[in-house]
């Protein structure tokens, strides 16, 4: 069973993603609402993938990814950005070390599949 960590400061987004991955994808899901919590949970849980919001108060998604990448306990975990940015620059995400991105609003019915496609691309 896949285990995802969803990191988003918006409770609604976390809940929709959690329900989507659990009930449609059959995944185990943990949630965090900020970058600090994400790093702590990633260290403790070692999820198979992290879905990470880009724009968050405090430590944003890019800084959170940097923290995850620099820690040997979490550097192996693939990160997929969740972004509401309408003009997404793919090269920016690739340079950050993220595996890919999913635009918000995402389709809850295809979220698990979309994540699996991104994970299988490399």
């Amino acid at each position: 069973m896949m285990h995802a960590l969803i990191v988003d400061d918006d409770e609604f987004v976390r809940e929709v993603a959690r329900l989507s991955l659990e009930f449609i994808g059959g995944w185990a899901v943990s949630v965090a609402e900020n970058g600090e919590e994400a790093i702590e949970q990633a260290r403790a849980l070692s999820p198979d993938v992290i879905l990470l919001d880009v724009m968050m108060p405090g430590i944003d998604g890019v800084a959170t990814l940097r923290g995850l990448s620099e820690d040997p306990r979490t550097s192996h975990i693939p990160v997929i950005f969740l972004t509401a940015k309408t003009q997404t620059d793919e090269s920016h995400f690739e340079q950050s070390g993220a595996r890919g991105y999913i635009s918000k609003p995402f389709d809850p019915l295809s979220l698990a599949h979309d994540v699996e496609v991104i994970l299988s691309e490399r």
Side-chain angles (χ1 to χ4, degrees):
M1 175 184 293
M2 291 284 287
H3 179 205
L5 173 59
I6 299 166
V7 185
D8 200 297
D9 59 316
D10 184 324
E11 183 178 1
F12 178 75
V13 171
R14 287 193 310 269
E15 189 63 8
V16 169
R18 183 185 68 76
L19 292 170
S20 171
L21 293 176
E22 284 181 349
F23 293 109
I24 296 170
W27 295 25
V29 179
S30 301
V31 296
E33 61 184 75
N34 59 53
E36 295 92 343
E37 212 177 287
I39 292 170
E40 285 177 25
Q41 287 201 38
R43 287 176 182 153
L45 303 171
S46 193
D48 297 301
V49 63
I50 298 172
L51 302 182
L52 180 60
D53 185 18
V54 175
M55 303 291 286
M56 295 185 292
I59 300 177
D60 70 5
V62 174
T64 300
L65 175 54
R66 195 174 309 116
L68 292 164
S69 299
E70 292 169 354
D71 187 328
R73 295 170 289 182
T74 56
S75 61
H76 66 283
I77 304 169
V79 173
I80 297 172
F81 279 130
L82 293 175
T83 179
K85 291 184 176 180
T86 52
Q87 294 183 329
T88 304
D89 179 4
E90 290 184 47
S91 65
H92 174 73
F93 292 122
E94 288 172 11
Q95 291 168 359
S96 71
R99 188 64 74 87
Y101 69 93
I102 294 173
S103 296
K104 293 192 285 187
F106 52 83
D107 179 355
L109 298 177
S110 68
L111 181 61
H113 173 75
D114 294 345
V115 171
E116 289 168 359
V117 167
I118 290 170
L119 291 177
S120 70
E121 286 176 349
R122 284 193 205 162

